[in-house]
């Protein structure tokens, strides 16, 4: 029977595929399709791993001291029994033979099936045996480590069978990033909000995704057919043929809309009344520059460098590695302006869990209010300067703007500039060439808006991070689906702060006597439904995922800023939901 599940839409489009259920702990194993004809070899790998685990358990049992409690030996017997159970042996081999999953993937897929049947048992003793199965599977995964790659998500290969969609309770931004070259045609998670970093990465993949679907990973079973409607945040499990047909038609239609938008790639982004608008790209990795260029972006408005620091087994990227990455972005963008943000580690973007660097620092109760972004960088000046030196060196290769996240205090501002000076001096002392940079502040804390005169005096540009500005203004955790209904970019308080920032930045001159450039790089900039409002508020620079750029450009081309300005002011004057809705409707008309 077909079931509907509602969640939060984060990435547009629809997709239909078979569910691959994963829990985040198990995302760490390799998921790839084996070559046709190699199925038996893969089954042999599994067989060898089972033999190794059996030998391991025998040794363990044989080495039990005479005075060991008898339950211990019985416990090992249970594990040996499970190892020989056809649910683990034969059925896992079935995933390999029929689906051509690699052995690790087959094991975790089968574990999900077994775990589900344990969860449904009435007998609590039997239910608890699930943990034993998990332990046996962990041992098997460990044994497979000796016979092939365990951590090879990056090697995900294209499926030639049914399309696959990933269903998980949660996916970290780092794990999501590993699926960039992946086989998944859609994503579903139980938790998360529209602007959580996981959702942002999903959006950058430009495939349908729904987060905050609460019970999805419990209700959806391994291998179920599901429709992901990324426009409406809807999942349909086991869709009827009529529903499937309906979605196939919608998929075709949205494909046509995208094709039509592609015609705008080379059209200058200019409004009807001749206002030039800068449309920039947000990227997570240097490889994303290709998508940025293909979308016709005028440059990079936000490179979230923290993603270079994730998915690493041990050390953080050193100066040369960072320099190479930044230089590559500048070279690929061929003279277009590139804004690189210093790391925004913390909150929902901790460093890789396997990384022991400053281990345990992210277990605080309120990580979004804790050691995050510039606070994190300033708490480790040596590490911060590694990044600053790499950036200054890269600036030789093109026009570089350095962006500092989450500033709020004059002290942070002074320390940042002092570290920048020190980094320059260190490069001079080492005889390393470096280039001129512009330095900008992210405005993403309401306190920073109220301190704008200070920011406008000291920086070359400001970039408004609306994702965090909404979060901190309304005290809504952007990654928490239980309060996602209260996360509202159109809340009058948010619009006041936004309008105030844009208005104050216009016409402002910094201490060098230069105008201060202002842009928005949060998700609001990439929402075509908000383009008119932002243009009416005076914004002329938008930074977003390349996938959103042409839809926003279409809005720009249809806009008349002279007409929109008073209409946007009328929106800003409204505080009651009904009258604000009327003012917004007038703006959209
Ligand atoms: C923002 O907060 O709007 C922003 C662009 O930064 P991030 O989403 O990486 O926190
Ligand atoms: Mg932010």
């Amino acid at each position: 029977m077909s079931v509907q599940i509602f969640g939060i839409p984060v990435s547009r489009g629809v997709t239909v595929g078979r569910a691959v259920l994963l829990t985040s702990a198990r995302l760490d194993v390799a998921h790839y399709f084996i070559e046709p004809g190699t199925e038996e070899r893969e089954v042999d790998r599994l067989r060898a791993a089972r033999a190794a685990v059996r030998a391991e358990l025998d040794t363990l049992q044989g080495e039990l001291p005479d005075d060991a409690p008898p339950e211990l030996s019985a416990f090992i017997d249970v594990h040996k029994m499970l190892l020989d159970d056809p649910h683990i042996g034969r059925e896992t081999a079935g995933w390999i033979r029929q689906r051509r999953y690699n052995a690790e993937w087959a094991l975790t897929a089968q574990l999900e099936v077994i775990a589900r049947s344990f969860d449904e048992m009435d007998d609590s003793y039997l239910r608890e045996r699930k943990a034993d199965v998990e332990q046996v599977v962990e041992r098997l995964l460990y044994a497979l480590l000796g016979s092939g790659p365990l951590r090879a998500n990056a090697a995900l290969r294209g499926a030639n069978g049914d399309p696959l969609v990933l269903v998980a309770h949660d996916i970290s931004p780092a794990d999501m990033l590993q699926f960039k070259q992946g086989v998944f045609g859609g994503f579903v998670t139980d938790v998360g909000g529209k602007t959580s970093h996981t959702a942002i990465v999903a959006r950058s993949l430009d495939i349908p995704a729904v987060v905050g679907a609460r019970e999805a990973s419990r209700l959806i079973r391994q291998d179920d057919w599901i429709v992901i409607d990324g426009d409406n945040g809807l999942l349909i499990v086991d869709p009827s043929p009529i529903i499937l047909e309906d979605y196939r038609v919608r998929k075709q239609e949205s494909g046509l809309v995208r094709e039509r938008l592609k015609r705008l790639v080379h059209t200058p982004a200019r409004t009807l009344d001749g206002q030039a608008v800068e449309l920039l790209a947000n990227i997570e990795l240097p490889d994303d520059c290709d998508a940025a260029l293909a979308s016709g972006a005028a440059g990079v408005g936000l490179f979230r460098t923290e993603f270079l620091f994730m998915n690493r087994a041990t050390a953080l990227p050193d100066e040369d590695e960072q320099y190479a990455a930044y230089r590559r972005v500048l070279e690929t963008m061929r003279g277009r302006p590139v804004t690189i943000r210093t790391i925004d580690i913390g909150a929902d973007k901790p460093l890789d869990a396997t990384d022991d660097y400053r281990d345990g620092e992210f277990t605080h109760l309120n990580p979004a209010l804790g050691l995050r972004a510039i606070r994190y960088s300033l708490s480790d000046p040596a590490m911060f300067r590694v990044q600053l030196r790499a950036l200054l060196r890269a600036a030789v290769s093109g026009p570089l703007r350095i962006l500092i996240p989450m500033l709020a205090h004059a002290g942070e501002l002074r320390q940042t500039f002092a570290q920048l000076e020190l980094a320059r001096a260190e490069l001079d002392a080492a005889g390393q060439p470096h280039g001129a940079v512009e330095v900008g502040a992210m405005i993403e804390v309401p306190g920073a808006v109220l301190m704008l005169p200070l920011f406008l005096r000291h920086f070359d540009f400001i970039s408004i991070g609306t994702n965090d500005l909404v979060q901190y203004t309304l005290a809504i955790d952007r990654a928490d689906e239980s309060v996602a209904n209260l996360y509202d970019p159109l809340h009058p308080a948010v619009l006041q702060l936004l309008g105030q920032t844009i208005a104050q930045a216009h016409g402002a001159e910094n201490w060098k006597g230069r105008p201060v450039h202002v842009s928005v790089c949060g998700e609001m900039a990439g929402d075509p439904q908000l383009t008119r409002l932002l243009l009416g508020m005076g914004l002329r620079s938008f930074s977003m995922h390349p996938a959103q750029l042409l839809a926003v450009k279409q809005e720009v081309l249809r806009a008349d800023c002279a007409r929109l300005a008073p209409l946007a002011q009328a929106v800003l004057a409204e505080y009651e939901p009904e009258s604000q809705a009327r003012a917004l409707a007038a703006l959209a008309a």
Side-chain angles (χ1 to χ4, degrees), residues 168-470:
H169 175 68
D170 193 10
I171 307 175
S172 72
D175 280 328
M176 189 59 105
L177 196 70
Q178 297 200 39
F179 294 123
K180 275 208 166 189
Q181 279 90 43
V183 289
F184 296 109
F187 294 92
V188 177
T189 60
D190 294 344
V191 299
K194 200 170 182 129
T195 62
S196 63
H197 284 93
T198 299
I200 288 174
V201 180
R203 206 167 295 131
S204 78
L205 300 179
D206 196 21
I207 46 180
V210 170
V211 300
R214 290 162 189 259
E215 299 281 282
S217 74
R218 202 179 58 77
L219 296 172
I220 298 170
R221 289 163 190 270
Q222 194 74 264
D223 231 27
D224 272 348
W225 276 103
I226 54 174
V227 170
I228 302 182
D229 178 345
D231 300 319
N232 298 304
L234 174 66
L235 309 171
I236 305 175
V237 188
D238 200 9
S240 68
I242 298 175
I243 293 179
L244 269 182
E245 188 48 31
D246 188 37
Y247 274 96
R248 280 208 185 95
V249 172
R250 280 188 47 190
K251 200 171 169 181
Q252 261 174 4
E253 283 170 358
S254 71
L256 285 175
V257 171
R258 282 175 190 227
E259 280 307 309
R260 266 202 297 276
L261 280 177
K262 280 193 189 151
R263 294 187 203 142
L264 302 180
V265 169
H266 302 294
T267 310
R270 207 172 268 282
T271 60
L272 290 175
D273 55 335
Q275 299 275 323
V277 178
E278 185 182 44
L279 300 181
L280 303 161
N282 288 357
I283 63 168
E284 275 88 41
L285 290 173
D287 279 348
D288 298 339
C289 287
D290 295 337
L293 289 171
S295 73
V300 169
L302 173 66
F303 174 9
R304 291 180 162 100
T305 56
E306 55 276 11
F307 286 96
L308 288 178
F309 287 60
M310 294 177 181
N311 297 323
R312 304 177 67 91
T314 50
L316 299 180
D318 64 14
E319 184 181 318
D320 283 342
E321 186 181 340
Q322 289 189 53
Y323 162 67
Y326 306 148
R327 198 181 81 176
R328 211 176 117 212
V329 172
L330 283 155
E331 286 178 352
T332 312
M333 294 310 291
R334 288 178 292 226
R336 294 172 180 83
V338 169
T339 303
I340 302 186
R341 181 175 74 181
T342 59
I343 52 171
D344 184 359
I345 294 290
D348 64 337
K349 284 179 293 189
L351 286 178
D352 195 320
T354 60
D355 194 336
D356 61 3
Y357 187 77
R358 299 175 66 175
D359 200 14
E361 278 193 334
F362 297 103
T363 50
H364 308 290
L365 277 181
N366 279 313
L369 302 182
L371 197 63
R372 199 196 142 176
I374 188 61
R375 302 171 185 180
Y376 181 85
S377 293
L378 289 175
S379 73
D380 189 344
M383 181 209 64
F384 188 32
R385 282 203 311 285
V386 170
Q387 180 165 39
L388 294 175
R389 285 196 302 269
L391 286 165
L392 291 167
R393 284 171 61 194
V396 173
S397 305
L400 176 60
R401 297 169 175 165
I402 298 180
L403 181 60
I404 312 294
M406 218 184 151
L407 287 162
H409 297 263
E412 291 166 340
L413 197 145
R414 292 207 186 102
Q415 287 178 58
T416 300
F417 282 110
Q419 290 300 320
L420 201 55
E421 271 320 298
L422 206 51
R424 275 197 193 97
E426 285 167 346
L427 289 174
D428 284 337
Q432 284 271 21
H434 54 92
V437 291
E438 291 195 341
V439 186
M442 282 200 80
I443 304 296
E444 40 189 359
V445 179
V449 178
L450 302 175
M451 294 272 283
L452 266 179
L454 178 88
F455 286 93
L456 297 174
R457 197 173 314 130
H458 290 277
F459 288 95
D460 298 301
F461 68 100
I462 56 170
S463 189
I464 310 171
T466 49
N467 306 335
D468 279 316
L469 191 60
V470 176

